Amino acid sequence: MSTATEPVRILPTTSADAGDSQLLELSMGPQHPSTHGVFRMDVVLDGERVMKLKPVFGYLHRNHEKIAEHETYLGSMPYTDRLDYICSLTNNWAYALAVEKLAGIQVPERAEYIRVITAELTRFLNHGALIGFLTQDMGASGTPLMYAFRERETILDLFESLTGARMMCNYMRFGGCRVDLPAGWLDQARKFVASLPRFLDEFERLLASNEILMARTQGVGVLSKEFAVNAGVTGPILRASGVNYDLRKVDKYGIYDRFAFKIPLGEHGDTYDRYMIRLLEMRESVKILNQALKDIPDGPIIDPKTKIRGFKPKPGEAYGRIESPKGELGFYLVSDGTANPYRYRVRSCCMMNLTVLEQLCIGHNVADVVVILGSIDIVMGEVDR
Amino acid sequence: MTLETIKSEIEAKIPGCVLEIVPNPSPSGQHSLRIDPAHAVAIATFLRDADELQFDYCSNVTGIDWPGKEISEKVKVKKVVDGVEQEVEEVRKSTTIGYLEVVYHLFSMEKKLGPVILRMRTEDRAERVHLPSLTPVWQSAEFQEREIFDLYGVIFDGHPDLRRILMWDGFKDHPMRKDYVEPDDYEYEPTAHDEVLERTRQHRTVMGAL
Amino acid sequence: MLVILSVAKNLGIVWNFEVEVDSVFGEGILKGLAETARNFLGSYVSKKRLTTVQYPEERLPQIEAYRNFPFLVYDGEDWQQGLRCVSCFICEKECPPKCIFIEKSTDKKPDAVGKLQFYPKVFNIDVSVCMSCQICVEVCPFDAIKMDTDYELSTTNRFSALLWDKHHLAKSNEHYHKIHPTEAAVVDAQLAAERAKVAAKAKAAAEAKPAAAPAAPPPVPAASEK
């Protein structure tokens, strides 16, 4: 039954338009400070210019999808934390949304508001960490990173007092959230969100008109609209290329249609646009947070009819997706009526966003590869699952 | 824009294609359209380029393994019992040929249309596992079809670069299949118990006190 | 700024980018440096800008809801007699990485509310596998397993030291009150209510028995003369 093909030699060793020079095949290997995890790129170089680039991943493959076939639906929830390990609460929400679609479960209002608040806080800390890591790869030695991490620490403290853990939250349940907000959490969150615009001003002043940053990112890695859509790219990268597609406005999942916020779009589609889009999205997140923290009602936080143990949805399938900070994170579930899913699939936004990496890097220098990869924002836990 | 209208439009545009709506009993209401592999690329191109549809975004490509099921049916057979020919009911057991299925979730970024789900089935799980690749139509299918090839064994004809993506290059067998057997390469797991302990005991002597 | 410009020209580097030039080339870098200086100098005067503590001499106050690895709760002084776990196997079944290993006992002992129940003869948690997801706590119907908050758990032996047995896991209810006071108060109130219910039922059963006894006819004495 072996249908494996032979490993294909895909990188040429000589090229017609390289002239006299020999092409260099470089493996920017899995152990590398700037590849955002265990990620490898086989790069064919002509001097400093990239001729061909093949991403190689799978080093963090834990076969989450097969584990989920042996676990119950609830038992997979802690594993979803570990997909995109920086934004665990949005992963939880995506999975809970897919199961709620599969089983037709309603979510009470207070739980929806809590979900929006935690998701926007997650988006804030993800974009902050991304800008920090991107600028660190460019040589800013961690200063913007530590500024972003200062705010991230406060957000993680908020998550810890709510869910019990800083990163692996395991908080969403099918039909709502696990526990209610503890006393004083809302005031703490409101105080923190009130201080965010000043932080964002400081963060922007630090780097936004920095000439070195602009020289290294403007015109680098231009992604055209048509190619972005065809390659299945979603999230801030797509919007930086000028396509107006944000799942919070298109699908209106949860209660996002109650909040007034704008979608920033980029014009050029280069790395600088991808960088600025994230700064602007952080500001929009603060807008949503202000509205949600003001309007959150009292009430139950979980649908009382949903079972914790012995949850067996009826046979069928569902595809649920949300706008995670990195793109469209979707879960496709096929149920056969038992307590374990028959097929559990994670539509990983980071892996799809990597489709364009080769096209973006060709013609640029090796140093730009690191910058482009940083702006695509991958987390290996989600690429490999 | 329901699935039935899309189906009739495709049938009008592409003669000879065999379409079937696969209903979805869950409350999500996401019914899918089963297409035949021979016309798959034509159907995909039509869905992408038609003016009123413009499904330019292929979001999710996934594989599902449906192994063969044992079915037993009662058959009336004429048999000689005690010298008299009678009709006797016999129970015949057979196994259906399983198949591998590939599911595509399509969305339209231009028109903000909801999911259109396409399904393609292979003929069996052993040799006839070829399906046409939709990567020339939507490049987002490139990595995902490679993953289905890696983990399920479906061979996509027309894929520009079909090789393993998540498992290493020399790996044999396809891990996500339902009948996949893990290799017996257990190292000593120090705090093991239950069946893991049994397996490690078969390999090595237990060191120290557990 | 003049220095930077001349170096760039000498090296022949061509800048091809569009920049919203305010006035001076290099102003963006200067603005950024002003921010950094403000933060650096500010950390000497303002507490908000000094965001680190000298761990392990200073520690930040621990948040109450924090969870690390599970532990078994026992009431009273004797950890064996007061152990709340009744060996129902629910946590073992629901644990996602299957790190709990329980063996039921053959005799019974009174549990936290006073009913006679089985208890675990063996209760192991493989801490090298446990991912602190807290599902065991969520599904336990007897409030017997709760999450601990201790994180300084380095051992020198990664074999037996990471398989925690019943004795290692059993910690008192006072410990639970110390680490999670609000939760422990709620659990105690619930258990007290259940204990009262069980006691009331036992009292009602005990009162019903003597009332039934006089209704029975006195036993006939055995004829021993025969």
Side-chain angles (χ1 to χ4, degrees):
Chain A
M1 217 210 356
S2 165
T3 48
T5 56
E6 285 302 311
V8 170
R9 175 109 199 119
I10 40 95
L11 301 170
T13 42
T14 56
S15 150
D17 48 51
D20 294 321
S21 62
Q22 200 181 24
L23 294 180
L24 175 70
E25 185 182 322
L26 182 71
S27 160
M28 293 183 71
Q31 212 183 28
H32 191 289
S34 305
T35 54
H36 293 262
V38 275
F39 178 63
R40 193 174 121 223
M41 291 181 279
D42 277 331
V43 189
V44 172
L45 297 172
D46 170 27
E48 281 267 333
R49 250 182 345 128
V50 173
M51 308 291 295
K52 214 168 178 186
L53 186 150
K54 289 289 176 199
V56 180
F57 42 87
Y59 292 92
L60 197 50
H61 181 62
R62 299 158 288 185
N63 216 346
H64 171 207
E65 302 181 352
K66 191 146 184 119
I67 293 177
E69 287 177 11
H70 297 298
E71 297 281 350
T72 56
Y73 283 88
L74 184 62
S76 296
M77 186 63 92
Y79 288 99
T80 61
D81 283 333
R82 287 145 170 92
L83 279 176
D84 173 0
Y85 36 77
I86 304 182
C87 328
S88 73
L89 282 162
T90 44
N91 300 347
N92 283 354
W93 189 2
Y95 180 49
L97 191 78
V99 173
E100 283 154 15
K101 271 207 181 130
L102 178 69
I105 305 174
Q106 297 295 321
V107 181
E109 244 190 76
R110 186 174 166 90
E112 292 279 20
Y113 271 90
I114 297 179
R115 283 180 173 185
V116 167
I117 293 171
T118 47
E120 293 307 314
L121 283 172
T122 313
R123 193 181 313 271
F124 187 90
L125 66 78
N126 173 272
H127 287 334
L130 170 84
I131 290 176
F133 284 116
L134 176 62
T135 47
Q136 178 172 18
D137 290 342
M138 281 196 267
S141 299
T143 306
L145 178 65
M146 286 303 135
Y147 283 21
F149 267 49
R150 213 175 39 198
E151 308 308 310
R152 191 184 135 101
E153 284 298 314
T154 323
I155 299 181
L156 289 181
D157 281 343
L158 280 174
F159 286 168
E160 194 179 344
S161 53
L162 175 62
T163 71
R166 284 155 53 96
M167 277 170 75
M168 304 297 149
C169 297
N170 185 18
Y171 178 62
M172 308 292 175
R173 292 285 178 262
F174 314 131
C177 308
R178 184 171 64 83
V179 289
D180 205 346
L181 305 174
W185 196 89
L186 275 176
D187 293 320
Q188 231 181 336
R190 284 185 190 124
K191 209 171 85 174
F192 169 68
V193 172
S195 77
L196 282 183
R198 237 184 94 217
F199 160 72
L200 279 171
D201 289 335
E202 194 182 290
F203 206 42
E204 277 189 29
R205 261 204 309 269
L206 189 63
L207 277 180
S209 54
N210 189 312
E211 284 78 6
I212 304 177
L213 177 81
M214 288 200 277
R216 280 206 73 174
T217 55
Q218 284 183 343
V220 167
V222 177
L223 179 63
S224 70
K225 249 197 218 191
E226 297 75 26
F227 183 49
V229 173
N230 192 262
V233 169
T234 48
I237 306 167
L238 181 70
R239 294 194 280 280
S241 298
V243 179
N244 182 4
Y245 196 72
D246 184 329
L247 291 182
R248 295 174 286 173
K249 294 276 195 198
V250 169
D251 274 358
K252 301 196 189 59
Y253 59 93
I255 43 167
Y256 270 111
D257 45 357
R258 294 192 204 177
F259 301 112
F261 61 101
K262 295 208 197 83
I263 306 291
L265 292 178
E267 268 178 5
H268 307 276
D270 57 6
T271 307
Y272 189 65
D273 275 357
R274 291 193 277 271
Y275 167 86
M276 286 306 295
I277 287 277
R278 290 181 165 111
L279 278 175
L280 294 170
E281 281 198 0
M282 283 161 90
R283 287 200 187 269
E284 299 299 319
S285 288
V286 171
K287 258 196 240 169
I288 301 178
L289 276 169
N290 280 327
Q291 293 167 51
L293 284 169
K294 195 162 60 99
D295 296 335
I296 180 169
D298 288 320
I301 51 146
I302 192 165
D303 177 34
K305 291 197 292 286
T306 318
K307 293 198 273 192
I308 295 284
R309 298 188 58 223
F311 175 67
K312 291 195 177 101
K314 297 216 174 40
E317 61 180 48
Y319 178 64
R321 58 186 193 155
I322 65 157
E323 178 77 21
S324 86
K326 300 185 158 68
E328 171 187 326
L329 176 64
F331 280 79
Y332 175 64
L333 292 164
V334 177
S335 154
D336 56 351
T338 60
N340 307 346
Y342 187 78
R343 173 75 171 114
Y344 168 104
R345 150 93 182 162
V346 180
R347 189 264 179 207
S348 142
C349 42
C350 296
M351 182 157 129
M352 294 307 108
N353 291 350
L354 276 181
T355 317
V356 299
L357 181 65
E358 179 173 10
Q359 194 75 5
L360 290 186
C361 289
I362 286 182
H364 288 293
N365 295 339
V366 171
D368 296 330
V369 169
V370 166
V371 171
I372 295 172
L373 182 67
S375 73
I376 291 186
D377 192 9
I378 55 168
V379 167
M380 291 321 287
E382 196 175 65
V383 174
D384 294 339
R385 282 155 279 131
Chain B
M1 186 56 64
T2 62
L3 202 57
E4 281 83 12
T5 42
I6 296 179
K7 175 167 177 272
S8 42
E9 279 192 35
I10 301 176
E11 279 171 339
K13 204 54 191 276
I14 300 168
C17 61
V18 178
L19 302 174
E20 184 197 325
I21 292 193
V22 177
N24 179 5
S26 82
S28 71
Q30 292 168 351
H31 309 288
S32 37
L33 192 64
R34 182 174 160 201
I35 61 179
D36 60 323
H39 297 94
V41 180
I43 296 174
T45 320
F46 168 68
L47 283 174
R48 188 191 64 181
D49 297 333
D51 279 328
E52 65 276 9
L53 297 176
Q54 283 194 26
F55 283 106
D56 46 8
Y57 168 47
C58 172
S59 156
N60 177 29
V61 183
T62 168
I64 313 183
D65 185 20
W66 299 101
K69 279 199 289 260
E70 209 182 71
I71 47 174
S72 49
E73 45 182 18
K74 294 197 168 76
V75 177
K76 281 193 165 44
V77 164
K78 285 192 165 60
K79 262 178 136 176
V80 177
V81 175
D82 300 327
V84 183
E85 199 171 304
Q86 284 181 7
E87 255 196 26
V88 175
E89 242 185 33
E90 225 181 46
V91 174
R92 283 229 185 108
K93 284 199 194 250
S94 59
T95 326
T96 58
I97 302 176
Y99 53 88
L100 298 164
E101 194 171 32
V102 177
V103 181
Y104 292 81
H105 282 78
L106 307 174
F107 291 86
S108 170
M109 281 199 188
E110 197 57 49
K111 307 239 170 227
K112 317 276 191 280
L113 292 177
V116 163
I117 309 176
L118 303 178
R119 304 181 101 93
M120 272 201 281
R121 295 186 185 162
T122 64
E123 291 167 45
D124 67 6
R125 291 166 81 238
E127 294 300 321
R128 294 175 294 169
V129 290
H130 288 254
L131 283 180
S133 162
L134 296 188
T135 305
V137 182
W138 295 291
Q139 191 153 357
S140 57
E142 181 186 344
F143 281 177
Q144 304 191 75
E145 284 178 353
R146 267 177 74 181
E147 184 184 334
I148 298 176
F149 162 66
D150 185 7
L151 298 179
Y152 281 97
V154 176
I155 298 182
F156 288 94
D157 301 320
H159 193 279
D161 182 16
L162 194 66
R163 39 186 183 115
R164 286 190 179 266
I165 190 171
L166 290 174
M167 308 306 292
W168 60 93
D169 279 333
F171 193 79
K172 301 271 180 279
D173 211 354
H174 301 282
M176 280 294 284
R177 291 201 179 185
K178 296 282 179 183
D179 52 359
Y180 174 69
V181 173
E182 292 165 4
D184 192 20
D185 56 1
Y186 274 89
E187 297 174 2
Y188 173 60
E189 195 175 305
T191 54
H193 52 76
D194 291 346
E195 68 233 7
V196 182
L197 185 60
E198 268 319 298
R199 268 188 274 198
T200 56
R201 281 211 176 106
Q202 284 162 17
H203 280 264
R204 311 197 183 195
T205 53
V206 173
M207 292 177 277
L210 263 183
Chain C
M1 303 313 107
L2 295 170
V3 177
I4 298 178
L5 273 174
S6 58
V7 166
K9 272 197 236 150
N10 285 343
L11 289 177
I13 302 171
V14 178
W15 301 107
N16 46 353
F17 57 92
E18 334 161 6
V19 66
E20 294 101 330
V21 181
D22 313 277
S23 46
V24 179
F25 176 71
E27 186 175 340
I29 300 181
L30 272 187
K31 276 200 234 166
L33 286 174
E35 271 315 310
T36 332
R38 187 181 319 158
N39 266 297
F40 175 59
L41 297 169
S43 69
Y44 285 102
V45 287
S46 134
K47 205 73 170 82
K48 194 167 94 61
R49 297 219 180 265
L50 186 67
T51 47
T52 53
V53 295
Q54 298 280 16
Y55 182 85
E57 286 88 20
E58 289 175 40
R59 281 154 204 263
L60 289 170
Q62 188 152 71
I63 295 182
E64 186 194 326
Y66 172 64
R67 62 175 196 255
N68 200 12
F69 288 125
F71 72 98
L72 291 171
V73 189
Y74 67 84
D75 300 304
E77 296 296 327
D78 186 349
W79 70 272
Q80 301 218 6
Q81 276 304 308
L83 202 65
R84 288 187 196 165
C85 175
V86 302
S87 186
C88 65
F89 289 93
I90 291 181
C91 60
E92 180 174 351
K93 253 195 291 236
E94 297 288 324
C95 173
K98 304 281 183 291
C99 68
I100 302 184
F101 176 57
I102 305 179
E103 252 182 47
K104 212 197 275 235
S105 68
T106 39
D107 56 328
K108 290 197 185 185
K109 75 159 180 61
D111 72 349
V113 297
K115 284 197 267 207
L116 273 181
Q117 304 259 24
F118 291 110
Y119 61 92
K121 188 169 75 174
V122 171
F123 193 112
N124 292 345
I125 293 188
D126 186 348
V127 165
S128 61
V129 173
C130 171
M131 54 177 178
S132 312
C133 64
Q134 203 190 25
I135 289 185
C136 55
V137 171
E138 221 174 305
V139 297
C140 176
F142 298 95
D143 292 307
I145 188 168
K146 296 291 174 194
M147 294 311 274
D148 206 351
T149 55
D150 195 15
Y151 49 86
E152 287 160 335
L153 296 167
S154 313
T155 61
T156 49
N157 180 359
R158 68 185 168 94
F159 297 163
S160 44
L162 289 181
L163 182 71
W164 290 355
D165 62 353
K166 201 169 51 154
H167 187 93
H168 188 132
L169 287 170
K171 300 212 174 129
S172 69
N173 200 10
E174 281 80 37
H175 174 83
Y176 184 35
H177 272 276
K178 202 159 54 144
I179 54 177
H180 297 299
T182 30
E183 253 182 66
V186 169
V187 167
D188 272 0
Q190 273 172 351
L191 282 179
E194 282 198 28
R195 245 179 244 131
K197 248 199 299 189
V198 168
K201 235 200 302 190
K203 208 164 77 143
E207 276 167 7
K209 258 208 296 205
V220 177
S224 52
E225 293 85 358
K226 283 221 185 95

